Amino acid sequence: MNRENLNIAFVFIGLILLQIMILNNINFLGYINPFFYIVFIFYYSVKKLDSAFLLLSFLLGLAIDFFSNSGGINAAATLFIAYIRIPVIKSVLGKTELEFNNFSFRKLKFNKTISIIAILTFVHHFIVFGLEYLKFDSIQLIVTKTFLTSIFTIILILISFILFSKKNAS
Amino acid sequence: MQQLISFIFKNKHFLFFLLLELFAVYFTIQSHSYHRSKFVNSANFITGGIYKRINNFKEYIRLKEENNRLAEENVYLKNLLDKEKMKGTLNGLALIDTTGSNQKYFYISSKIINNEYNRSNNYITINSGSNKGITLDLGVINSKGIIGITKSVSNNYATVLSVLNINSKINIKLLRSNYFGSLSWNAKDYQMVQFLDLPVQANIKIGDTVITGGRSTIFPEGIPVGTIKNFNIINNNYEYVNIDLFNDMSDIGYVEVIKNFDREEIKELEEKTTNE
């Protein structure tokens, strides 16, 4: 248990540093920076909803906000997808109850994993850009940014999944 | 009462979620209003320190460009100095030593340690704060032109509201006439800003130079901004006027923060006038 906590702390800090040092400076096509840090939501073990998870997600988002001067945009979005994580997993799998003890993304079919990641990523990015512009007449810009950035983020998350599971298997 | 407690207990996760979400939205709204000082910003000890470290690496790559820019600025300043000397001798006047008496602006050199330009509310973090005399609402420029206005200040760092921020409004005017307006940004292209409230009588042409207007105490008059890129006239009004910035906002390093010595005096005077 203690080791698991240590692991989470390590990933938490590592993701913040990765995001602010490298990913926020990519500027692909001029403005696309993936929000890879939300992989935390998928990394944190899927248990029954607990307050610690909500708090950690909030703090992760807030840390990113501190570095990018964006108020509470990332905190709001990350907290939101942390909260809807279990309902989304349930509805994608079509189950009313989850067996939390042996749930793992690696045991799922690839297309189900992708849809869970895609839904949560889209929701997160939409909240981020929506709150950033906070204007209805920029809706086109918000949707384009959400779509392009989401694709980038989803690809990075999938790559990290593949790398991570290979490491475990060997 | 018991029902209430059991309700809270049953929905504790939802209530906790709601509470944190409210915090996040509060911070967001606060960051969207220009005048309130923000809590979440990168001008604090931890974020500033980390950005400074990252920047130390980046600097090595940029040393050559930065040297070139400084050399160019030196040449420009030397020319300016010579011109001033000429003026003095031509009029047969000795140069008057103005130290301590008439200096209006004071420049504080500083370094950008984090630069944003791809969002709608862009901020720049610089490595000098209140310990070097930086306060709120000071203009920030470099040799090519304007950069922004300081917004939050800590002991060692400050954040700058970039001209590439939809909340930014700066008084500007045309170089060849006295028509003025305000500079703002529509968040579409980081190399292009907009000239608002320009009267149609200004009769602008593509390529006209735009400079700061000097009607506020933040920027002195005549700091270069950019050139007019394109515009459109509808109903005898400018529908839009786009300005090409002189600065490449994605590639800036050293900056100067401008402190206006007369600012307090001007503000006091203005307050007095409005109170009367």
Side-chain angles (χ1 to χ4, degrees), chain A residues 21 27 33 49 51 67-69 71-72 76 79 83 131-133 145, chain B residues 13-14 16 20-21 28 32 40-42 51 54 116-120 123:
Chain A
M21 287 166 92
N27 300 325
N33 287 329
L49 188 66
S51 300
F67 279 102
S68 41
N69 292 297
L79 179 66
Y83 188 73
L131 284 178
E132 187 181 327
Y133 286 91
K145 271 196 159 182
Chain B
H13 292 310
F14 178 69
F16 186 58
L20 291 180
E21 200 70 300
T28 308
H32 273 275
V40 181
N41 64 56
S42 64
Y51 274 144
I54 298 173
E116 291 169 350
Y117 51 89
N118 52 13
R119 303 188 303 146
S120 65
Y123 291 93

PDB file of all heavy atoms in Angstrom, chain A residues 21 27 33 49 51 67-69 71-72 76 79 83 131-133 145, chain B residues 13-14 16 20-21 28 32 40-42 51 54 116-120 123:
ATOM      1  N   MET A  21       7.606  21.289 -18.733  1.00  0.00           N
ATOM      2  CA  MET A  21       8.928  21.461 -19.324  1.00  0.00           C
ATOM      3  C   MET A  21       8.932  21.152 -20.810  1.00  0.00           C
ATOM      4  O   MET A  21       9.586  21.820 -21.590  1.00  0.00           O
ATOM      5  CB  MET A  21       9.951  20.571 -18.628  1.00  0.00           C
ATOM      6  CG  MET A  21      10.302  21.058 -17.249  1.00  0.00           C
ATOM      7  SD  MET A  21      11.161  19.821 -16.295  1.00  0.00           S
ATOM      8  CE  MET A  21      12.832  20.209 -16.651  1.00  0.00           C
ATOM      9  N   ASN A  27       3.977  23.218 -29.306  1.00  0.00           N
ATOM     10  CA  ASN A  27       3.390  24.148 -30.284  1.00  0.00           C
ATOM     11  C   ASN A  27       3.325  23.566 -31.686  1.00  0.00           C
ATOM     12  O   ASN A  27       3.723  24.190 -32.659  1.00  0.00           O
ATOM     13  CB  ASN A  27       4.168  25.462 -30.323  1.00  0.00           C
ATOM     14  CG  ASN A  27       4.143  26.125 -28.987  1.00  0.00           C
ATOM     15  OD1 ASN A  27       3.152  26.037 -28.280  1.00  0.00           O
ATOM     16  ND2 ASN A  27       5.219  26.768 -28.619  1.00  0.00           N
ATOM     17  N   ASN A  33      -0.734  21.896 -28.128  1.00  0.00           N
ATOM     18  CA  ASN A  33       0.060  21.293 -27.066  1.00  0.00           C
ATOM     19  C   ASN A  33      -0.777  20.226 -26.388  1.00  0.00           C
ATOM     20  O   ASN A  33      -1.833  20.528 -25.857  1.00  0.00           O
ATOM     21  CB  ASN A  33       0.455  22.341 -26.027  1.00  0.00           C
ATOM     22  CG  ASN A  33       1.507  23.272 -26.552  1.00  0.00           C
ATOM     23  OD1 ASN A  33       2.327  22.886 -27.375  1.00  0.00           O
ATOM     24  ND2 ASN A  33       1.471  24.499 -26.092  1.00  0.00           N
ATOM     25  N   LEU A  49     -15.198   5.264  -6.116  1.00  0.00           N
ATOM     26  CA  LEU A  49     -14.862   6.680  -6.059  1.00  0.00           C
ATOM     27  C   LEU A  49     -14.375   7.060  -4.662  1.00  0.00           C
ATOM     28  O   LEU A  49     -15.041   6.779  -3.681  1.00  0.00           O
ATOM     29  CB  LEU A  49     -16.112   7.494  -6.406  1.00  0.00           C
ATOM     30  CG  LEU A  49     -15.926   8.977  -6.590  1.00  0.00           C
ATOM     31  CD1 LEU A  49     -15.082   9.256  -7.787  1.00  0.00           C
ATOM     32  CD2 LEU A  49     -17.279   9.637  -6.711  1.00  0.00           C
ATOM     33  N   SER A  51     -12.410  10.224  -2.140  1.00  0.00           N
ATOM     34  CA  SER A  51     -12.112  11.657  -2.085  1.00  0.00           C
ATOM     35  C   SER A  51     -10.656  11.942  -2.400  1.00  0.00           C
ATOM     36  O   SER A  51     -10.329  12.980  -2.974  1.00  0.00           O
ATOM     37  CB  SER A  51     -12.444  12.205  -0.703  1.00  0.00           C
ATOM     38  OG  SER A  51     -13.804  11.995  -0.446  1.00  0.00           O
ATOM     39  N   PHE A  67       1.425  26.892 -13.328  1.00  0.00           N
ATOM     40  CA  PHE A  67       2.524  27.092 -14.256  1.00  0.00           C
ATOM     41  C   PHE A  67       2.085  27.807 -15.518  1.00  0.00           C
ATOM     42  O   PHE A  67       2.886  28.459 -16.160  1.00  0.00           O
ATOM     43  CB  PHE A  67       3.169  25.756 -14.614  1.00  0.00           C
ATOM     44  CG  PHE A  67       4.133  25.293 -13.574  1.00  0.00           C
ATOM     45  CD1 PHE A  67       3.777  24.307 -12.677  1.00  0.00           C
ATOM     46  CD2 PHE A  67       5.373  25.868 -13.473  1.00  0.00           C
ATOM     47  CE1 PHE A  67       4.654  23.893 -11.701  1.00  0.00           C
ATOM     48  CE2 PHE A  67       6.260  25.466 -12.497  1.00  0.00           C
ATOM     49  CZ  PHE A  67       5.899  24.470 -11.607  1.00  0.00           C
ATOM     50  N   SER A  68       0.828  27.657 -15.910  1.00  0.00           N
ATOM     51  CA  SER A  68       0.449  28.288 -17.172  1.00  0.00           C
ATOM     52  C   SER A  68      -0.468  29.480 -16.966  1.00  0.00           C
ATOM     53  O   SER A  68      -1.125  29.915 -17.906  1.00  0.00           O
ATOM     54  CB  SER A  68      -0.163  27.262 -18.122  1.00  0.00           C
ATOM     55  OG  SER A  68      -1.004  26.388 -17.444  1.00  0.00           O
ATOM     56  N   ASN A  69      -0.557  30.010 -15.745  1.00  0.00           N
ATOM     57  CA  ASN A  69      -1.338  31.226 -15.480  1.00  0.00           C
ATOM     58  C   ASN A  69      -2.759  31.141 -15.992  1.00  0.00           C
ATOM     59  O   ASN A  69      -3.259  32.067 -16.604  1.00  0.00           O
ATOM     60  CB  ASN A  69      -0.685  32.441 -16.139  1.00  0.00           C
ATOM     61  CG  ASN A  69       0.617  32.786 -15.492  1.00  0.00           C
ATOM     62  OD1 ASN A  69       0.656  33.127 -14.322  1.00  0.00           O
ATOM     63  ND2 ASN A  69       1.689  32.659 -16.236  1.00  0.00           N
ATOM     64  N   GLY A  71      -5.652  30.340 -14.202  1.00  0.00           N
ATOM     65  CA  GLY A  71      -6.731  30.349 -13.218  1.00  0.00           C
ATOM     66  C   GLY A  71      -7.007  28.952 -12.707  1.00  0.00           C
ATOM     67  O   GLY A  71      -6.127  28.318 -12.144  1.00  0.00           O
ATOM     68  N   GLY A  72      -8.227  28.451 -12.919  1.00  0.00           N
ATOM     69  CA  GLY A  72      -8.538  27.102 -12.449  1.00  0.00           C
ATOM     70  C   GLY A  72      -9.035  26.216 -13.561  1.00  0.00           C
ATOM     71  O   GLY A  72      -9.756  25.247 -13.324  1.00  0.00           O
ATOM     72  N   ALA A  76     -10.519  22.488 -12.977  1.00  0.00           N
ATOM     73  CA  ALA A  76     -11.939  22.202 -13.173  1.00  0.00           C
ATOM     74  C   ALA A  76     -12.123  21.012 -14.112  1.00  0.00           C
ATOM     75  O   ALA A  76     -12.892  20.092 -13.821  1.00  0.00           O
ATOM     76  CB  ALA A  76     -12.645  23.428 -13.742  1.00  0.00           C
ATOM     77  N   LEU A  79     -10.703  17.601 -12.571  1.00  0.00           N
ATOM     78  CA  LEU A  79     -11.597  17.134 -11.514  1.00  0.00           C
ATOM     79  C   LEU A  79     -12.864  16.547 -12.119  1.00  0.00           C
ATOM     80  O   LEU A  79     -13.356  15.503 -11.690  1.00  0.00           O
ATOM     81  CB  LEU A  79     -11.937  18.305 -10.582  1.00  0.00           C
ATOM     82  CG  LEU A  79     -12.889  17.992  -9.441  1.00  0.00           C
ATOM     83  CD1 LEU A  79     -12.232  17.028  -8.475  1.00  0.00           C
ATOM     84  CD2 LEU A  79     -13.293  19.256  -8.701  1.00  0.00           C
ATOM     85  N   TYR A  83     -14.300  12.719 -11.800  1.00  0.00           N
ATOM     86  CA  TYR A  83     -15.596  12.374 -11.225  1.00  0.00           C
ATOM     87  C   TYR A  83     -16.416  11.484 -12.155  1.00  0.00           C
ATOM     88  O   TYR A  83     -17.095  10.567 -11.711  1.00  0.00           O
ATOM     89  CB  TYR A  83     -16.371  13.663 -10.894  1.00  0.00           C
ATOM     90  CG  TYR A  83     -17.632  13.390 -10.119  1.00  0.00           C
ATOM     91  CD1 TYR A  83     -17.577  13.018  -8.780  1.00  0.00           C
ATOM     92  CD2 TYR A  83     -18.876  13.473 -10.740  1.00  0.00           C
ATOM     93  CE1 TYR A  83     -18.721  12.751  -8.073  1.00  0.00           C
ATOM     94  CE2 TYR A  83     -20.030  13.207 -10.020  1.00  0.00           C
ATOM     95  CZ  TYR A  83     -19.952  12.846  -8.686  1.00  0.00           C
ATOM     96  OH  TYR A  83     -21.082  12.568  -7.990  1.00  0.00           O
ATOM     97  N   LEU A 131     -13.565  27.057 -21.119  1.00  0.00           N
ATOM     98  CA  LEU A 131     -13.332  28.018 -20.033  1.00  0.00           C
ATOM     99  C   LEU A 131     -12.289  29.048 -20.420  1.00  0.00           C
ATOM    100  O   LEU A 131     -12.325  30.180 -19.955  1.00  0.00           O
ATOM    101  CB  LEU A 131     -12.877  27.283 -18.765  1.00  0.00           C
ATOM    102  CG  LEU A 131     -13.937  26.534 -17.977  1.00  0.00           C
ATOM    103  CD1 LEU A 131     -13.320  25.831 -16.786  1.00  0.00           C
ATOM    104  CD2 LEU A 131     -15.023  27.480 -17.503  1.00  0.00           C
ATOM    105  N   GLU A 132     -11.356  28.648 -21.291  1.00  0.00           N
ATOM    106  CA  GLU A 132     -10.310  29.590 -21.673  1.00  0.00           C
ATOM    107  C   GLU A 132     -10.891  30.750 -22.479  1.00  0.00           C
ATOM    108  O   GLU A 132     -10.559  31.907 -22.253  1.00  0.00           O
ATOM    109  CB  GLU A 132      -9.233  28.871 -22.483  1.00  0.00           C
ATOM    110  CG  GLU A 132      -8.037  29.753 -22.754  1.00  0.00           C
ATOM    111  CD  GLU A 132      -6.971  29.054 -23.569  1.00  0.00           C
ATOM    112  OE1 GLU A 132      -6.809  27.835 -23.417  1.00  0.00           O
ATOM    113  OE2 GLU A 132      -6.331  29.735 -24.379  1.00  0.00           O
ATOM    114  N   TYR A 133     -11.786  30.424 -23.412  1.00  0.00           N
ATOM    115  CA  TYR A 133     -12.328  31.499 -24.254  1.00  0.00           C
ATOM    116  C   TYR A 133     -13.551  32.137 -23.622  1.00  0.00           C
ATOM    117  O   TYR A 133     -13.757  33.337 -23.731  1.00  0.00           O
ATOM    118  CB  TYR A 133     -12.641  30.971 -25.649  1.00  0.00           C
ATOM    119  CG  TYR A 133     -11.376  30.744 -26.424  1.00  0.00           C
ATOM    120  CD1 TYR A 133     -10.740  29.514 -26.401  1.00  0.00           C
ATOM    121  CD2 TYR A 133     -10.790  31.776 -27.132  1.00  0.00           C
ATOM    122  CE1 TYR A 133      -9.554  29.319 -27.080  1.00  0.00           C
ATOM    123  CE2 TYR A 133      -9.609  31.596 -27.815  1.00  0.00           C
ATOM    124  CZ  TYR A 133      -8.996  30.360 -27.793  1.00  0.00           C
ATOM    125  OH  TYR A 133      -7.823  30.180 -28.463  1.00  0.00           O
ATOM    126  N   LYS A 145      -9.891  23.485 -31.712  1.00  0.00           N
ATOM    127  CA  LYS A 145      -8.766  23.256 -30.800  1.00  0.00           C
ATOM    128  C   LYS A 145      -8.974  21.970 -30.011  1.00  0.00           C
ATOM    129  O   LYS A 145      -8.045  21.186 -29.837  1.00  0.00           O
ATOM    130  CB  LYS A 145      -8.619  24.441 -29.847  1.00  0.00           C
ATOM    131  CG  LYS A 145      -7.735  25.540 -30.385  1.00  0.00           C
ATOM    132  CD  LYS A 145      -7.330  26.470 -29.270  1.00  0.00           C
ATOM    133  CE  LYS A 145      -6.092  27.253 -29.627  1.00  0.00           C
ATOM    134  NZ  LYS A 145      -5.641  28.123 -28.554  1.00  0.00           N
TER     135      LYS A 145
ATOM    136  N   HIS B  13     -19.079  12.300  -1.649  1.00  0.00           N
ATOM    137  CA  HIS B  13     -18.160  12.442  -2.777  1.00  0.00           C
ATOM    138  C   HIS B  13     -18.646  13.505  -3.738  1.00  0.00           C
ATOM    139  O   HIS B  13     -17.869  14.321  -4.221  1.00  0.00           O
ATOM    140  CB  HIS B  13     -18.005  11.119  -3.523  1.00  0.00           C
ATOM    141  CG  HIS B  13     -17.296  10.106  -2.719  1.00  0.00           C
ATOM    142  ND1 HIS B  13     -16.110  10.370  -2.095  1.00  0.00           N
ATOM    143  CD2 HIS B  13     -17.613   8.824  -2.397  1.00  0.00           C
ATOM    144  CE1 HIS B  13     -15.715   9.300  -1.439  1.00  0.00           C
ATOM    145  NE2 HIS B  13     -16.613   8.347  -1.597  1.00  0.00           N
ATOM    146  N   PHE B  14     -19.977  13.470  -3.975  1.00  0.00           N
ATOM    147  CA  PHE B  14     -20.521  14.463  -4.895  1.00  0.00           C
ATOM    148  C   PHE B  14     -20.343  15.867  -4.326  1.00  0.00           C
ATOM    149  O   PHE B  14     -19.941  16.795  -5.039  1.00  0.00           O
ATOM    150  CB  PHE B  14     -21.994  14.185  -5.161  1.00  0.00           C
ATOM    151  CG  PHE B  14     -22.622  15.206  -6.057  1.00  0.00           C
ATOM    152  CD1 PHE B  14     -22.271  15.273  -7.392  1.00  0.00           C
ATOM    153  CD2 PHE B  14     -23.541  16.118  -5.559  1.00  0.00           C
ATOM    154  CE1 PHE B  14     -22.815  16.226  -8.222  1.00  0.00           C
ATOM    155  CE2 PHE B  14     -24.085  17.075  -6.386  1.00  0.00           C
ATOM    156  CZ  PHE B  14     -23.728  17.128  -7.714  1.00  0.00           C
ATOM    157  N   PHE B  16     -18.112  16.887  -2.183  1.00  0.00           N
ATOM    158  CA  PHE B  16     -16.686  17.217  -2.213  1.00  0.00           C
ATOM    159  C   PHE B  16     -16.288  17.660  -3.622  1.00  0.00           C
ATOM    160  O   PHE B  16     -15.599  18.670  -3.813  1.00  0.00           O
ATOM    161  CB  PHE B  16     -15.880  15.988  -1.777  1.00  0.00           C
ATOM    162  CG  PHE B  16     -14.415  16.255  -1.631  1.00  0.00           C
ATOM    163  CD1 PHE B  16     -13.953  17.229  -0.767  1.00  0.00           C
ATOM    164  CD2 PHE B  16     -13.486  15.512  -2.351  1.00  0.00           C
ATOM    165  CE1 PHE B  16     -12.605  17.470  -0.625  1.00  0.00           C
ATOM    166  CE2 PHE B  16     -12.136  15.746  -2.210  1.00  0.00           C
ATOM    167  CZ  PHE B  16     -11.695  16.731  -1.350  1.00  0.00           C
ATOM    168  N   LEU B  20     -14.829  21.400  -4.733  1.00  0.00           N
ATOM    169  CA  LEU B  20     -13.573  21.627  -5.458  1.00  0.00           C
ATOM    170  C   LEU B  20     -13.839  22.287  -6.803  1.00  0.00           C
ATOM    171  O   LEU B  20     -13.113  23.182  -7.226  1.00  0.00           O
ATOM    172  CB  LEU B  20     -12.834  20.301  -5.665  1.00  0.00           C
ATOM    173  CG  LEU B  20     -12.254  19.639  -4.425  1.00  0.00           C
ATOM    174  CD1 LEU B  20     -11.561  18.348  -4.803  1.00  0.00           C
ATOM    175  CD2 LEU B  20     -11.264  20.561  -3.738  1.00  0.00           C
ATOM    176  N   GLU B  21     -14.913  21.854  -7.467  1.00  0.00           N
ATOM    177  CA  GLU B  21     -15.237  22.416  -8.778  1.00  0.00           C
ATOM    178  C   GLU B  21     -15.545  23.908  -8.640  1.00  0.00           C
ATOM    179  O   GLU B  21     -15.143  24.714  -9.488  1.00  0.00           O
ATOM    180  CB  GLU B  21     -16.422  21.651  -9.378  1.00  0.00           C
ATOM    181  CG  GLU B  21     -16.570  21.778 -10.880  1.00  0.00           C
ATOM    182  CD  GLU B  21     -15.493  21.062 -11.673  1.00  0.00           C
ATOM    183  OE1 GLU B  21     -14.326  21.418 -11.495  1.00  0.00           O
ATOM    184  OE2 GLU B  21     -15.812  20.157 -12.458  1.00  0.00           O
ATOM    185  N   THR B  28     -10.907  30.458 -12.086  1.00  0.00           N
ATOM    186  CA  THR B  28     -10.991  30.741 -13.516  1.00  0.00           C
ATOM    187  C   THR B  28     -11.578  32.118 -13.762  1.00  0.00           C
ATOM    188  O   THR B  28     -11.039  32.917 -14.529  1.00  0.00           O
ATOM    189  CB  THR B  28     -11.852  29.687 -14.217  1.00  0.00           C
ATOM    190  OG1 THR B  28     -11.378  28.407 -13.866  1.00  0.00           O
ATOM    191  CG2 THR B  28     -11.806  29.864 -15.717  1.00  0.00           C
ATOM    192  N   HIS B  32     -10.021  35.716 -15.380  1.00  0.00           N
ATOM    193  CA  HIS B  32     -10.536  36.399 -16.564  1.00  0.00           C
ATOM    194  C   HIS B  32     -10.742  37.887 -16.343  1.00  0.00           C
ATOM    195  O   HIS B  32     -10.888  38.638 -17.288  1.00  0.00           O
ATOM    196  CB  HIS B  32     -11.868  35.780 -17.001  1.00  0.00           C
ATOM    197  CG  HIS B  32     -11.686  34.616 -17.925  1.00  0.00           C
ATOM    198  ND1 HIS B  32     -11.522  34.765 -19.267  1.00  0.00           N
ATOM    199  CD2 HIS B  32     -11.608  33.297 -17.682  1.00  0.00           C
ATOM    200  CE1 HIS B  32     -11.362  33.582 -19.821  1.00  0.00           C
ATOM    201  NE2 HIS B  32     -11.402  32.670 -18.873  1.00  0.00           N
ATOM    202  N   VAL B  40      -3.767  32.289  -8.557  1.00  0.00           N
ATOM    203  CA  VAL B  40      -3.071  31.280  -9.349  1.00  0.00           C
ATOM    204  C   VAL B  40      -2.251  31.959 -10.430  1.00  0.00           C
ATOM    205  O   VAL B  40      -2.770  32.346 -11.471  1.00  0.00           O
ATOM    206  CB  VAL B  40      -4.082  30.305  -9.991  1.00  0.00           C
ATOM    207  CG1 VAL B  40      -3.343  29.254 -10.789  1.00  0.00           C
ATOM    208  CG2 VAL B  40      -4.926  29.651  -8.939  1.00  0.00           C
ATOM    209  N   ASN B  41      -0.966  32.172 -10.203  1.00  0.00           N
ATOM    210  CA  ASN B  41      -0.119  32.725 -11.246  1.00  0.00           C
ATOM    211  C   ASN B  41       1.283  32.158 -11.107  1.00  0.00           C
ATOM    212  O   ASN B  41       1.622  31.545 -10.099  1.00  0.00           O
ATOM    213  CB  ASN B  41      -0.114  34.248 -11.197  1.00  0.00           C
ATOM    214  CG  ASN B  41       0.473  34.763  -9.926  1.00  0.00           C
ATOM    215  OD1 ASN B  41       1.604  34.437  -9.576  1.00  0.00           O
ATOM    216  ND2 ASN B  41      -0.293  35.537  -9.189  1.00  0.00           N
ATOM    217  N   SER B  42       2.108  32.373 -12.126  1.00  0.00           N
ATOM    218  CA  SER B  42       3.421  31.742 -12.102  1.00  0.00           C
ATOM    219  C   SER B  42       4.485  32.650 -11.518  1.00  0.00           C
ATOM    220  O   SER B  42       5.662  32.401 -11.686  1.00  0.00           O
ATOM    221  CB  SER B  42       3.806  31.269 -13.499  1.00  0.00           C
ATOM    222  OG  SER B  42       3.922  32.365 -14.358  1.00  0.00           O
ATOM    223  N   TYR B  51      10.807  27.556 -13.611  1.00  0.00           N
ATOM    224  CA  TYR B  51      10.926  28.158 -14.941  1.00  0.00           C
ATOM    225  C   TYR B  51      12.315  28.745 -15.159  1.00  0.00           C
ATOM    226  O   TYR B  51      12.860  28.718 -16.260  1.00  0.00           O
ATOM    227  CB  TYR B  51       9.864  29.238 -15.137  1.00  0.00           C
ATOM    228  CG  TYR B  51       8.558  28.703 -15.621  1.00  0.00           C
ATOM    229  CD1 TYR B  51       7.355  29.236 -15.195  1.00  0.00           C
ATOM    230  CD2 TYR B  51       8.520  27.653 -16.541  1.00  0.00           C
ATOM    231  CE1 TYR B  51       6.153  28.749 -15.638  1.00  0.00           C
ATOM    232  CE2 TYR B  51       7.325  27.163 -16.988  1.00  0.00           C
ATOM    233  CZ  TYR B  51       6.144  27.703 -16.541  1.00  0.00           C
ATOM    234  OH  TYR B  51       4.967  27.224 -17.002  1.00  0.00           O
ATOM    235  N   ILE B  54      14.597  25.872 -16.111  1.00  0.00           N
ATOM    236  CA  ILE B  54      14.357  25.429 -17.492  1.00  0.00           C
ATOM    237  C   ILE B  54      14.984  26.422 -18.457  1.00  0.00           C
ATOM    238  O   ILE B  54      15.627  26.068 -19.446  1.00  0.00           O
ATOM    239  CB  ILE B  54      12.845  25.316 -17.774  1.00  0.00           C
ATOM    240  CG1 ILE B  54      12.205  24.282 -16.858  1.00  0.00           C
ATOM    241  CG2 ILE B  54      12.593  24.958 -19.224  1.00  0.00           C
ATOM    242  CD1 ILE B  54      10.705  24.234 -16.949  1.00  0.00           C
ATOM    243  N   GLU B 116       4.409  32.502 -23.197  1.00  0.00           N
ATOM    244  CA  GLU B 116       3.275  31.807 -23.805  1.00  0.00           C
ATOM    245  C   GLU B 116       2.779  32.647 -24.964  1.00  0.00           C
ATOM    246  O   GLU B 116       2.813  33.869 -24.908  1.00  0.00           O
ATOM    247  CB  GLU B 116       2.118  31.709 -22.808  1.00  0.00           C
ATOM    248  CG  GLU B 116       2.371  30.804 -21.662  1.00  0.00           C
ATOM    249  CD  GLU B 116       1.299  30.985 -20.603  1.00  0.00           C
ATOM    250  OE1 GLU B 116       0.497  31.927 -20.702  1.00  0.00           O
ATOM    251  OE2 GLU B 116       1.293  30.180 -19.673  1.00  0.00           O
ATOM    252  N   TYR B 117       2.336  31.987 -26.018  1.00  0.00           N
ATOM    253  CA  TYR B 117       1.766  32.766 -27.119  1.00  0.00           C
ATOM    254  C   TYR B 117       0.705  31.989 -27.878  1.00  0.00           C
ATOM    255  O   TYR B 117       0.174  32.450 -28.855  1.00  0.00           O
ATOM    256  CB  TYR B 117       2.869  33.215 -28.085  1.00  0.00           C
ATOM    257  CG  TYR B 117       3.769  32.095 -28.542  1.00  0.00           C
ATOM    258  CD1 TYR B 117       3.442  31.359 -29.665  1.00  0.00           C
ATOM    259  CD2 TYR B 117       4.905  31.761 -27.827  1.00  0.00           C
ATOM    260  CE1 TYR B 117       4.245  30.325 -30.068  1.00  0.00           C
ATOM    261  CE2 TYR B 117       5.712  30.728 -28.219  1.00  0.00           C
ATOM    262  CZ  TYR B 117       5.376  30.006 -29.342  1.00  0.00           C
ATOM    263  OH  TYR B 117       6.165  28.980 -29.737  1.00  0.00           O
ATOM    264  N   ASN B 118       0.378  30.803 -27.416  1.00  0.00           N
ATOM    265  CA  ASN B 118      -0.547  29.999 -28.215  1.00  0.00           C
ATOM    266  C   ASN B 118      -1.907  29.843 -27.583  1.00  0.00           C
ATOM    267  O   ASN B 118      -2.691  29.017 -27.997  1.00  0.00           O
ATOM    268  CB  ASN B 118       0.065  28.636 -28.505  1.00  0.00           C
ATOM    269  CG  ASN B 118       0.530  27.965 -27.249  1.00  0.00           C
ATOM    270  OD1 ASN B 118       0.189  28.414 -26.160  1.00  0.00           O
ATOM    271  ND2 ASN B 118       1.281  26.907 -27.393  1.00  0.00           N
ATOM    272  N   ARG B 119      -2.220  30.619 -26.542  1.00  0.00           N
ATOM    273  CA  ARG B 119      -3.542  30.510 -25.948  1.00  0.00           C
ATOM    274  C   ARG B 119      -4.255  31.844 -26.114  1.00  0.00           C
ATOM    275  O   ARG B 119      -3.767  32.724 -26.796  1.00  0.00           O
ATOM    276  CB  ARG B 119      -3.406  30.128 -24.487  1.00  0.00           C
ATOM    277  CG  ARG B 119      -2.607  28.821 -24.382  1.00  0.00           C
ATOM    278  CD  ARG B 119      -2.599  28.291 -23.010  1.00  0.00           C
ATOM    279  NE  ARG B 119      -2.069  29.251 -22.085  1.00  0.00           N
ATOM    280  CZ  ARG B 119      -2.496  29.375 -20.843  1.00  0.00           C
ATOM    281  NH1 ARG B 119      -3.470  28.634 -20.417  1.00  0.00           N
ATOM    282  NH2 ARG B 119      -1.955  30.245 -20.051  1.00  0.00           N
ATOM    283  N   SER B 120      -5.412  31.992 -25.478  1.00  0.00           N
ATOM    284  CA  SER B 120      -6.097  33.266 -25.664  1.00  0.00           C
ATOM    285  C   SER B 120      -5.725  34.249 -24.561  1.00  0.00           C
ATOM    286  O   SER B 120      -5.818  35.452 -24.737  1.00  0.00           O
ATOM    287  CB  SER B 120      -7.601  33.064 -25.686  1.00  0.00           C
ATOM    288  OG  SER B 120      -8.040  32.605 -24.449  1.00  0.00           O
ATOM    289  N   TYR B 123       0.453  34.846 -20.821  1.00  0.00           N
ATOM    290  CA  TYR B 123       1.245  35.550 -19.830  1.00  0.00           C
ATOM    291  C   TYR B 123       2.708  35.214 -20.027  1.00  0.00           C
ATOM    292  O   TYR B 123       3.049  34.147 -20.501  1.00  0.00           O
ATOM    293  CB  TYR B 123       0.825  35.153 -18.416  1.00  0.00           C
ATOM    294  CG  TYR B 123      -0.539  35.647 -18.045  1.00  0.00           C
ATOM    295  CD1 TYR B 123      -1.648  34.840 -18.245  1.00  0.00           C
ATOM    296  CD2 TYR B 123      -0.718  36.918 -17.539  1.00  0.00           C
ATOM    297  CE1 TYR B 123      -2.917  35.290 -17.936  1.00  0.00           C
ATOM    298  CE2 TYR B 123      -1.979  37.381 -17.224  1.00  0.00           C
ATOM    299  CZ  TYR B 123      -3.072  36.559 -17.425  1.00  0.00           C
ATOM    300  OH  TYR B 123      -4.315  37.020 -17.126  1.00  0.00           O
TER     301      TYR B 123
END
